[in-house]
Amino acid sequence: MIERIQHLLTEVSNWSAKDAAELEALRLKYLSKKGEISLLFNDFRNVPSELKKEVGQRLNELKTQAHEKLTDLKSSFEQQDSDTSDLDYSRSIQNGGLGARHPLSIVKNEIVDIFARLGFTIAEGPEIEDDWNVFGALNFAPEHPARDMQDTFFIERNPDILLRTHTSSVQTRVMNTQEPPIRIICPGRVYRNEAISYRAHCFFHQVEALYINKDVSFADLKQVLLYFAQEMFGSKTKIRLRPSYFPFTEPSAEMDISCHICGGKGCPFCKHTGWVEILGCGMVDPAVLENCGIDSSVYSGYALGMGIERITNLKYQVKDLRMFSENDVRFLDQFKSAY
Ligand code: DAH
């Protein structure tokens, strides 16, 4: 065995390779599972115990030498590759040009700007959250389907730690730590266990807004919604609120805007209804305020949440959600004129 190791050591020191393919051939011949060096390791168990120490040491030495030699040979090609002697330094510089902001960032900034004009300030929270901030405090009953394994990514099988499924979790955090009045806008990434297709992704982006003060009413919410819709989609935009349900708001509504493509007359984009849905909203449920330590007999408030991808699709008619995360420059370049 020792002789065989010695023999292989000499072979290793004589290894040479012209290119990556030859190098790989050496690796396969000697170091792959059935390679010559690996096979010696298999034979090690038959070595008499009094020789095991010495043979073991030599075997390890052989393996280390072989790996070092492979690394040396590899770096010698890489050096050749980066050899700059044939570069033409007189060639004129090609300007790579300016990049473009990502469409989701453009739209997020626009949404945040509109709310900033109304006095909202940005609040952020972690993407890895606990059950209480994402669901518990927001009135999701323990058996609510949104907590289901199929919707939520849990971390390391711990049902308490998860990737946030909505930015409403930032509401919880802020209400738990700040005294009203609270007026925040929370942009961020959220995660859901969805099969990826042109219309769904396992991560996407939302913006949440929350206002808590004395005497906040549904009329205040409606004013803000109308202002937002007209700033974002043009001053002729109309809004319509439909009753809806969210565990953390009561009453709850979904807001549609008049289709900005056909102006509300009806077209394939709005499925001939004249309206397109853009967000969810409502008055913060008093139970949620209490869960977060805010006295619901003194304070009330509204919340709203929207998907940034959805708003971006409405503005730019991007047909496939996957485009947002594939980073194809042909797609991204089209947003150069926006900012
Ligand atoms: N969190 C909801 C979602 O992910 C969106 C939402 C609806 C947020 C209504 C709100 C709201 O603040 O009031 O689907």
Side-chain angles (χ1 to χ4, degrees):
M1 180 98 166
I2 294 197
E3 257 173 47
R4 179 88 189 112
I5 296 175
Q6 206 50 47
H7 179 70
L8 282 172
L9 262 177
T10 327
E11 276 190 35
V12 167
S13 62
N14 292 331
W15 277 357
S16 70
K18 278 198 306 298
D19 52 28
E22 285 192 16
L23 192 70
E24 178 62 6
L26 284 175
R27 194 191 64 79
L28 285 174
K29 180 159 183 247
Y30 290 91
L31 287 163
S32 62
K33 241 189 183 158
K34 294 229 160 77
E36 300 198 18
I37 296 179
S38 312
L39 289 179
L40 274 189
F41 273 86
N42 291 348
D43 292 345
F44 181 68
R45 76 177 89 91
N46 304 325
V47 171
S49 50
E50 67 274 17
L51 288 179
K52 271 207 154 72
K53 187 167 174 220
E54 188 190 349
V55 174
Q57 272 173 356
R58 290 190 183 224
L59 257 182
N60 281 331
E61 199 182 314
L62 169 64
K63 197 171 166 190
T64 316
Q65 295 256 351
H67 278 289
E68 278 176 4
K69 185 77 184 182
L70 280 185
T71 318
D72 286 354
L73 288 170
K74 188 163 177 234
S75 60
S76 69
F77 307 141
E78 282 169 357
Q79 253 167 25
Q80 278 168 19
D81 287 349
S82 62
D83 189 355
T84 52
S85 54
D86 57 352
L87 284 185
D88 176 3
Y89 290 106
S90 62
R91 218 172 126 177
S92 60
I93 295 170
Q94 276 180 359
N95 190 343
L98 274 181
R101 213 181 273 287
H102 193 282
L104 293 178
S105 299
I106 297 169
V107 171
K108 179 198 75 183
N109 291 347
E110 217 170 321
I111 299 172
V112 168
D113 277 357
I114 295 171
F115 280 91
R117 275 176 242 148
L118 295 170
F120 286 75
T121 50
I122 293 184
E124 284 179 329
E127 293 178 8
I128 301 175
E129 263 291 9
D130 60 26
D131 183 277
W132 172 252
N133 285 314
V134 178
F135 297 128
L138 293 168
N139 258 353
F140 283 81
E143 69 287 357
H144 194 284
R147 295 173 178 229
D148 200 288
M149 285 287 187
Q150 281 149 24
D151 274 321
T152 307
F153 287 116
F154 293 89
I155 308 276
E156 289 179 0
R157 294 173 198 273
N158 179 347
D160 194 41
I161 307 295
L162 42 96
L163 294 181
R164 66 180 179 194
T165 55
H166 55 178
T167 43
S168 305
S169 55
V170 186
Q171 279 191 34
T172 323
R173 284 188 170 261
V174 173
M175 287 195 284
N176 263 311
T177 51
Q178 288 177 27
E179 295 279 313
I182 294 171
R183 205 196 303 249
I184 50 161
I185 175 105
C186 328
R189 182 173 284 181
V190 300
Y191 301 82
R192 288 187 199 174
N193 195 355
E194 299 257 1
I196 297 173
S197 72
Y198 74 99
R199 37 182 256 148
H201 211 296
C202 58
F203 65 80
F204 54 99
H205 302 80
Q206 290 188 330
V207 174
E208 181 89 12
L210 173 75
Y211 178 49
I212 309 284
N213 207 342
K214 289 178 181 152
D215 302 323
V216 182
S217 75
F218 203 92
D220 298 316
L221 169 61
K222 211 172 152 192
Q223 275 307 311
V224 165
L225 291 173
L226 181 64
Y227 177 78
F228 167 71
Q230 295 191 337
E231 289 292 291
M232 193 77 200
F233 294 102
S235 57
K236 296 214 169 64
T237 309
K238 294 196 196 68
I239 63 168
R240 150 177 115 166
L241 292 168
R242 286 177 289 104
S244 183
Y245 172 77
F246 300 102
F248 40 93
T249 44
E250 183 57 39
S252 305
E254 272 167 312
M255 179 172 96
D256 299 338
I257 55 165
S258 50
C259 176
H260 61 300
I261 294 187
C262 61
K265 287 192 208 74
C267 68
F269 188 79
C270 58
K271 301 200 183 82
H272 303 282
T273 62
W275 297 94
V276 284
E277 183 194 320
I278 68 163
L279 56 78
C281 59
M283 300 306 290
V284 180
D285 192 309
V288 172
L289 295 176
E290 296 293 337
N291 285 341
C292 300
I294 294 178
D295 186 346
S296 64
S297 64
V298 180
Y299 293 104
S300 55
Y302 60 73
L304 60 101
M306 68 189 102
I308 303 182
E309 278 79 352
R310 172 107 186 116
I311 307 286
T312 311
N313 280 346
L314 292 178
K315 279 211 94 145
Y316 297 111
Q317 281 105 59
V318 178
K319 299 241 161 52
D320 187 335
L321 265 183
R322 291 169 293 198
M323 308 274 270
F324 290 128
S325 48
E326 280 169 353
N327 283 337
D328 183 333
V329 282
R330 289 168 302 178
F331 169 68
L332 297 174
D333 263 355
Q334 296 174 65
F335 297 91
K336 268 197 174 138
S337 57
Y339 63 95

